[in-house]
Amino acid sequence: MIDTLRNVFELHGFMGIETRAVETGASLLKKGETSKQIYLLSRLQDVGHESDEPLAERLGLHFDLTVPLSRYVVEHTGDLTFPFKRWQIQKVWRGERPQEGRFREFVQADIDVVGNGTLPDHYEVELPLVMLEAMERFQAFGLPQATIHVNNRKLSEGFYRAIGLSDVEAVLREVDKLDKVGEDEVVKSLMQYCSANREQAQACLKLAEIREYEPHALREKFDALCHSYDVDTTSEHYALAIEGVETVSMILREAEKVRSHAVIADLAIARGLDYYTGSVYETSLEGAEELGSVCSGGRYDNLVSQGNKKYPGVGLSIGLSRMLSYLLHTQGAHANRQSPATVLVGVWNEENRDASNAIARTLRSRQIASDVAPTAQKIGKQIRYASRLGIPYVWLPADPNAEPGSENATDQVKNIITGEQMSADVNTWVPASEYGKQEIVVGSESAPAQ
Amino acid sequence: MIDTLRNVFELHGFMGIETRAVETGASLLKKGETSKQIYLLSRLQDVGHESDEPLAERLGLHFDLTVPLSRYVVEHTGDLTFPFKRWQIQKVWRGERPQEGRFREFVQADIDVVGNGTLPDHYEVELPLVMLEAMERFQAFGLPQATIHVNNRKLSEGFYRAIGLSDVEAVLREVDKLDKVGEDEVVKSLMQYCSANREQAQACLKLAEIREYEPHALREKFDALCHSYDVDTTSEHYALAIEGVETVSMILREAEKVRSHAVIADLAIARGLDYYTGSVYETSLEGAEELGSVCSGGRYDNLVSQGNKKYPGVGLSIGLSRMLSYLLHTQGAHANRQSPATVLVGVWNEENRDASNAIARTLRSRQIASDVAPTAQKIGKQIRYASRLGIPYVWLPADPNAEPGSENATDQVKNIITGEQMSADVNTWVPASEYGKQEIVVGSESAPAQ
């Protein structure tokens, strides 16, 4: 799956980077929300004295790939060509309570584009489309159809302010819980923590109900909602909201040209993180909505800065481990065989191991992965060894003691799944394409094994 | 380089595994030597209370891939088919003082084969040969010729005991320092810490001087040394040493059939780690001996055990980061270009970005990595953007405003390195092979970019 992602990302001109697993406490603690989940490091010899070092200077494991990117861009700004498009696939760590789909160590796959000073809007539709292309490739591994849900911070902020709510971050934080706690609880929280009255809280829910594929309908629904709450359409707040509506509309329009109905405007999307300033994305899988978002991100104009220079960016992150866990445990994805070897070369006796090694060497030089039997036990046992590893072919070298002209006097290759056996020349033989390589298969469509 | 290793390992039937970055203190602390270099983890919320948890139960980052393998085999013994051949390429961490070629975070690439109860000797030559094949592939990236130096613990132990030294581990530890501290210091230490008299210490040095490609000569030199120190050739110690000599001889003989003079018996090889019980390996690079060993390992019969079951193994580890650092800083290895994209599709104006996107999509569907110009600035600036990223081709879409029949009325592709420009069809055009992909080049043999 990582190979697939890398291929898609590089086909789109993203450059791969890898950053160290650790960042300083100062970098990691910028984002308040996840701070409790940070793993700090200490050397064994410092046990008992960990707290002597200020938190900001201690090292901790990164919990996402955005903090490292932000440091990377600032450190390498002189060497980079902007807009800088990078992919990064690495492990990240969070001190969470582990459960299905939620791990303490997991792999994230990120793409971001970062501009120097400015960044054109078209990236706000191009990046989600790259992720959609990647997820389409995963359909071969059992992934259902993915839909990217898009909203815009300007839209939310403009609307909340227009109806008189000023603590935008707090409102977003509560609306973000809709899926988990339900409408009643969110209304309660909005009233309790965000100084909303019941009508304002209801307005927030109404906004969150809007889902739309079609740009004009989106604008109509939004304007109707504003109208029903007496929003002043000459206000700066309304203007800000309309900026957001227009970006969302642009995304719907452009995405529709490439992938029909793969992107939907969903004004319930809030995202917990407060560094987003424009588009925000989450991704649902058809029939697996309970899994939560498998690919999220957004536009951030102020995350990366150096002095008075700003580096606005757009980025999305695939939660690869969560997705893989779903494919393995719900969709039955699995490797078609344990061993990458396509051929097990048999060994008649230890004195003739050389001959078997030579056959394996030739096959490997032709890019046919080959193992050699561990011991010269009875050929039935060697076949059983291949079978346990899922190796589809056993190569039987010409038996040095065979009668000339007999079957055993030439190399034979046996497909242990079909039982077929035939004479074969090590310089020209090729495996049938369905047995050629180790790969991911779905459900019961398995290859050999026992 | 990781792709190359993976390809070589899988061609030989090794199965890839990946283990979590952490192990328990109990697992990590089994090996005394590196314990001070272990990084322990603690959650931010536990700062100040780290020491409340017993060290054995705390989590620490793995410092090699052998400890995780040993745990993995024990945990999955029921699911594995033995001999179990696995490759593993991961980051490891050591709290060392960082310097050129020595890092606190680095990548190791390991292959091991682990048997259940027994493990045939032939793996003691096969595994080093796999690593040699991998390192030969690295010659394309500037790696010099590699030579694997092999010794055997039985040989060393038998000889040391035969001349009256009983603290074998201590002797090995001192002999292991020969390269670093020189002969005089080692003699001193052997006398000081290993109860050796001057003659015994000298004998250890004489043994360490033996280097030999040829099995018979090896046996002769060894026997001559034993004779000169009046070793009793009927003793069990001598018999043990000869077992070791014979394994080394087998390795020399078998390796010579496949790769001439790529493996040498070098009786100075000691290896610091005490879990090796048979062959031990280190690897030198021609003309870069000061780099130290870039690929080391050995046979261990007692590392992995469960109850009274033993899982003997043979394994080698390539220090990929150290090797890469050498290639980058000494050999001038570098990427031929920054961007994986082969083509930058130009954009005449933002209204026509769709046309450029469509061209890029078609090229990508044909596995030609393509980027699209970030903005519709003057074409000269777009070319400069491509040039800065090392993208060799700029695709100029048919200009919608061009005179019919004129050059600009059809798609053109320009090689910005050679300056060549020609009409091109997006469905059939292919890049020249020398500009086809991002790859590692050596020295000044660079592609574009300035």
Side-chain angles (χ1 to χ4, degrees), chain B residues 417-435:
Chain B
I417 298 148
T418 64
E420 253 181 305
Q421 181 171 333
M422 57 172 88
S423 293
D425 180 336
V426 71
N427 293 303
T428 53
W429 175 84
V430 285
S433 63
E434 64 267 43
Y435 302 115

Side-chain angles (χ1 to χ4, degrees), chain B residues 102 179 282-285 288-296 322:
Chain B
R102 215 169 258 280
D179 270 357
E282 293 195 351
T283 305
S284 63
L285 296 176
E289 286 77 8
E290 74 292 352
L291 198 63
S293 177
V294 292
C295 175
S296 313
R322 180 184 294 186

Side-chain angles (χ1 to χ4, degrees), chain B residues 380-393:
Chain B
K381 286 197 174 176
Q382 297 186 31
I383 290 173
R384 216 137 56 229
Y385 176 78
S387 165
R388 276 203 304 273
L389 289 173
I391 301 174
Y393 293 98

